[in-house]
Amino acid sequence: MEGAWSFVSPQRKPVAGDGWTYPSVRYSACSVAYDRQLIVTHGYHYNHDERHPAWKSDAWSFSFGTKKWRKVHEGEDAGAPSARYSASCVLWNHAMYMYGGDDGGHKYSMNNYVFGAHFSEMWRLDLRSFTWQKVKYASSAPPKRALHAAVVIDNSMYVYGGLELSDTWRFDFLSLKWELLVPMQTSKSKTHPGRRHALAAAAGDGCFYLFGGGQHGHGFKPRAFNDLFKFSLATNSWSKVKPVGDSLPAPRSHHSLLSLSPSAILLYGGALCTPGCKCHGDTWVFDTTTSEWNQINASNAPVHRYRQSLVLDETDGALYLFGGESYRPYMYHNAVNKLVLSGPKLAKLVQPSAFKPSTVTPRLDAAPNQPTVTNSSPPAESNTTMIVGIALLVAFVAAAVRWMCKPAKKEYHPLERLAG
């Protein structure tokens, strides 16, 4: 199997972004692909110039066609969820659903990371109007969590794990109810993933897969895994997948995993943090019919990284990479890279018919309890010159206010060294 990487949007400075034409660097952000766009929101980076943490809540759209960025939401001051990272985000019915996450307690202790500052709430970003609305559950919610995995199958979202967690949940988008499928595991099991975080999930045929992740513990170094588990929707049970052959991805966490087709899932990047981090930049495809891992021989690979965003353009099968963090070289990212896969073996796994035409799926009927959107959308590219001028003036005034109110510079420990 082969592939070719290319830059479609360069790394830009200042890394804090210009607030209008391109986003800041960030990692552990939320992202989905929708209507030939990469949608990115929230995340975090440490601003080394100001020696200050930068928690993000703005939202951006990158067009696969024009290869240009557009800011689509200003952030929490305009009605978005408060700034956070390590939440899960999935796409369903023309909306991005963000669940859980961690804000490091920054609203109460900006310069000291607070462990366990997690969320159990869910927010919905309408991807046609770019307005946020908090989802009101029709049942009790699961425990708060961050660094968990989530995947959508039909009208449900399945959630697993997170920091110190090993439970499996299903959220029904139509009824807005949560259901506990498999409770927390209190003993070790060869057929269950167990307690782990910073793992990734991908949908399969009547199932979903989990790969890797990390585990903290008392009396031992942090652990990372390279095993693969399968959750059956028919039996609500876990099983461990035994790979064929000796060619396997290395143990890792904070990686990307996504479905190319019912018979192929793709793995990219991640890091082995024990606790210092060694980042990976490799790409693998797992054949679910033969249980075989195949490494992609990809040219022009970007800088290795973890905590990145990777999405699939379902119109042509190309993958788009944004954000993340790297070690050696140490850097954050805001470039966009594109990966095109090729080769006869891959063609057997991923048929062209697996990709959808370049149209938006017709909207499903809203559930009776589905949140309605009342916020106004931010200006689009087609707005009038007057609106753009007003927006620029507002941005200038806001920047001036931030400059005048900027706090004194203080040292701050980057979060990746605390919550790997």
Side-chain angles (χ1 to χ4, degrees), residues 16 21 26 32 49 66 74 97 124 191 204 232 244 281 296 307 312 332 334 341 358 387 401 407:
T21 63
R26 64 189 70 194
V32 297
D49 293 335
T66 66
E74 291 291 338
Y97 285 80
R124 176 181 183 269
T191 61
S232 169
V244 174
I296 301 296
R307 296 177 179 256
L312 173 69
Y332 301 123
N334 64 3
L341 301 173
S358 183
I387 293 177
V401 171

Side-chain angles (χ1 to χ4, degrees), residues 85-404:
Y85 76 162
S86 301
S88 61
C89 275
V90 298
L91 177 69
W92 184 78
N93 194 19
H94 302 282
M96 170 193 281
Y97 285 80
M98 181 171 72
Y99 167 66
D102 180 356
D103 74 356
H106 71 273
K107 289 185 177 295
Y108 309 101
S109 181
M110 177 59 83
N111 294 291
N112 292 285
Y113 182 74
V114 177
F115 286 93
H118 300 164
F119 296 92
S120 61
E121 63 189 27
M122 183 185 297
W123 287 77
R124 176 181 183 269
L125 176 62
D126 189 303
L127 298 180
R128 294 161 298 181
S129 63
F130 292 110
T131 49
W132 283 100
Q133 185 74 27
K134 189 175 182 179
V135 177
K136 184 177 180 181
Y137 300 147
S139 66
S140 57
K144 298 178 180 181
R145 68 191 63 217
L147 293 173
H148 51 284
V151 63
V152 165
I153 301 176
D154 297 328
N155 295 320
S156 296
M157 178 180 74
Y158 295 84
V159 174
Y160 181 79
L163 280 165
E164 304 300 321
L165 297 173
S166 61
D167 46 352
T168 310
W169 291 80
R170 182 178 75 91
F171 179 76
D172 188 318
F173 286 110
L174 299 179
S175 68
L176 302 181
K177 291 182 178 180
W178 285 99
E179 178 186 5
L180 176 63
L181 302 179
V182 181
M184 290 274 291
Q185 298 297 292
T186 57
S187 59
K188 292 184 179 180
S189 170
K190 294 182 179 180
T191 61
H192 188 280
R195 181 170 50 88
R196 63 178 71 187
H197 62 273
L199 66 166
D205 186 7
C207 65
F208 66 91
Y209 295 89
L210 293 179
F211 177 82
Q215 185 182 93
H216 291 159
H218 303 288
F220 60 84
K221 289 184 178 180
R223 296 171 178 170
F225 303 95
N226 66 340
D227 46 10
L228 184 71
F229 286 86
K230 176 181 177 180
F231 184 81
S232 169
L233 305 188
T235 61
N236 286 338
S237 62
W238 286 100
S239 61
K240 190 172 184 178
V241 179
K242 184 177 180 180
V244 174
D246 298 325
S247 181
L248 301 174
R252 67 193 67 197
S253 57
H254 301 287
H255 46 282
S256 299
L257 192 74
L258 49 82
S259 176
L260 298 178
S261 74
S263 58
I265 55 177
L266 180 138
L267 167 70
Y268 171 78
L272 176 63
C273 298
T274 59
C277 292
K278 176 185 177 182
C279 293
H280 297 288
D282 49 351
T283 306
W284 296 75
V285 171
F286 182 77
D287 184 338
T288 62
T289 62
T290 65
S291 296
E292 181 183 13
W293 281 105
N294 293 275
Q295 186 169 6
I296 301 296
N297 181 20
S299 61
N300 301 316
V303 176
H304 51 252
R305 66 193 68 187
Y306 75 147
R307 296 177 179 256
Q308 68 280 338
S309 296
L310 183 72
V311 301
L312 173 69
D313 180 3
E314 293 189 344
T315 63
D316 62 6
L319 296 113
Y320 290 83
L321 171 68
F322 170 78
E325 181 183 22
S326 300
Y327 287 90
R328 298 181 182 178
Y330 180 80
M331 64 182 296
Y332 301 123
H333 301 273
N334 64 3
V336 180
N337 299 86
K338 178 180 179 181
L339 173 61
V340 176
L341 301 173
S342 60
K345 194 169 186 178
L346 183 71
K348 293 180 181 179
L349 292 174
V350 185
Q351 299 295 328
S353 59
F355 302 116
K356 301 175 183 178
S358 183
T359 57
V360 178
T361 306
R363 185 171 188 268
L364 302 177
D365 291 334
N369 294 326
Q370 184 166 327
T372 56
V373 176
T374 57
N375 297 336
S376 59
S377 61
E381 292 178 325
S382 59
N383 283 1
T384 63
T385 303
M386 180 179 69
I387 293 177
V388 173
I390 293 173
L392 290 173
L393 178 61
V394 170
F396 174 79
V397 172
V401 171
R402 286 196 300 269
W403 180 85
M404 289 185 291

